[in-house]
Amino acid sequence: MFQGCDSTPEKTDVRKKVIGKYCNEEHTLILTDSNTYTNVKYLKGILTDIQYQESCSGKYQIDMKDGHWIIRFEKSPHPKSVSDCQQEYTLWTEKEGYLIGEKEVTMRDLFDNTPLTKSKCK
């Protein structure tokens, strides 16, 4: 819901929009309603067809910063990768609205910022 004449969405609405499973052929990002995330990247071996994966998991926060809704992924305490998945990016601005999409929501993989979409999950 929106607050009066202000077009700024409430935190609960932003959370509802981002919670879910985001995918493409090589990546999966899951955001839960308990403010946790899991990020997985599936890779093929250089000399073999055997797949392996990199992963990280931890907590995320959605906060208002300078009039923008942002998402902060906290450092994974036990990453199975060289990356700890700690990062932050903007979800919504008053001028541009949702930067992650209105109907089809797209988030970014935490390893290489590859776009991931809810509708791409099988």
Side-chain angles (χ1 to χ4, degrees), residues 24 27 41 106-116:
N24 70 14
H27 303 85
K41 181 176 181 180
T106 301
M107 299 291 279
R108 296 184 215 151
D109 167 71
L110 301 175
F111 292 121
D112 51 24
N113 287 317
T114 301
L116 305 175

Side-chain angles (χ1 to χ4, degrees), residues 45-63:
I46 295 171
L47 302 174
T48 179
D49 288 337
I50 297 173
Q51 273 195 339
Y52 65 98
Q53 67 183 29
E54 293 184 7
S55 64
C56 58
S57 58
K59 297 264 187 195
Y60 72 89
Q61 298 295 323
I62 296 173
D63 295 307

Side-chain angles (χ1 to χ4, degrees), residues 24-36:
N24 70 14
E25 291 180 6
E26 298 173 345
H27 303 85
T28 301
L29 173 65
I30 300 170
L31 302 177
T32 69
D33 60 358
S34 60
N35 288 358
T36 61

